[in-house]
Amino acid sequence: MTALLLWSPYVRQLVNWAVTAGSVLLCLFVLHSRLPGMELLGVGPNWPLIWVVAWSVKRSPWQGAFAGLVLGLIQDGLTSPDPTHTISLALVGMLTALLQKQRYVQEDFISVALIVFGMAVLAETVIAVQFSLQSSHLMAQSTYRSLAEIWGYHQRIALSSAILSSLWAPVLYYPLNRWWQLINNIEQMQT
């Protein structure tokens, strides 16, 4: 911490941005990796969602929604934009910030894991709704999925994603939260 105090505010801000951007890139890189212990029924943790929750816990609803929007656009660029991840991640960011602002939850590992669990189910439900809407428009074609098939997959995917994401959330939340608290404390000391 003493080394950070000696840095100029501009250098400290650049390092903070680099740490934040680096954590986003790490989440996006790990999203497509299937390491041992990081998969359940063919589904891995939703790392962008975990990052959005970690970011939004101490931010305003608009900052959370914007972070979700940006990560959703990046994830759509890496995967398929149809269905989009922007709606679900923006909603997750906004709702997480609203939960924290209303003080329904205290901030600790268990509450963050529970928030991630609920938000993962919500995000997967938003994706399933988008698939359902697409399916209803594509019924004339022979390549559509039935609604029963979509919602059957949704149950498995949502539960698997929620369990794994909530279990892995502290791994990302703890170091990022400590870093952001450190930067915030230094800024408060110098004002």
Side-chain angles (χ1 to χ4, degrees):
M1 180 168 160
T2 57
L4 289 174
L5 287 170
L6 299 175
W7 293 354
S8 75
Y10 300 112
V11 171
R12 204 170 30 250
Q13 188 66 33
L14 282 173
V15 171
N16 185 33
W17 288 344
V19 168
T20 302
S23 65
V24 168
L25 291 175
L26 180 66
C27 286
L28 293 170
F29 175 72
V30 176
L31 178 66
H32 299 291
S33 302
R34 293 293 187 244
L35 301 173
M38 294 181 67
E39 191 173 31
L40 180 63
L41 299 174
V43 178
N46 191 338
W47 291 103
L49 181 132
I50 297 169
W51 193 94
V52 168
V53 169
W55 171 266
S56 302
V57 164
K58 290 188 174 181
R59 306 250 176 355
S60 72
W62 297 112
Q63 289 173 322
F66 184 72
L69 179 74
V70 170
L71 258 70
L73 289 171
I74 294 171
Q75 190 174 358
D76 285 349
L78 292 173
T79 58
S80 171
D82 199 21
T84 182
H85 297 89
T86 56
I87 298 169
S88 58
L89 289 178
L91 188 62
V92 163
M94 186 173 59
L95 290 177
T96 299
L98 285 172
L99 277 174
Q100 191 59 30
K101 296 298 178 205
Q102 297 296 324
R103 300 286 182 219
Y104 291 123
V105 292
Q106 294 297 318
E107 185 183 343
D108 62 350
F109 291 148
I110 295 170
S111 63
V112 168
L114 288 173
I115 292 170
V116 168
F117 186 92
M119 294 301 165
V121 171
L122 175 73
E124 294 301 336
T125 302
V126 169
I127 296 291
V129 167
Q130 290 179 57
F131 273 124
S132 297
L133 293 174
Q134 287 176 353
S135 178
S136 65
H137 291 297
L138 297 175
M139 284 190 167
Q141 298 177 0
S142 61
T143 59
Y144 77 95
R145 292 182 177 143
S146 71
L147 292 179
E149 188 178 36
I150 290 170
W151 289 100
Y153 285 135
H154 166 263
Q155 293 172 1
R156 182 182 63 133
I157 291 169
L159 189 57
S160 298
S161 176
I163 290 169
L164 284 174
S165 297
S166 63
L167 289 175
W168 283 97
V171 171
L172 184 65
Y173 171 76
Y174 181 74
L176 284 177
N177 186 48
R178 294 275 299 176
W179 173 257
W180 290 328
Q181 279 181 341
L182 178 67
I183 293 297
N184 192 28
N185 291 341
I186 290 172
E187 288 176 2
Q188 288 179 357
M189 285 180 4
Q190 295 196 347
T191 57

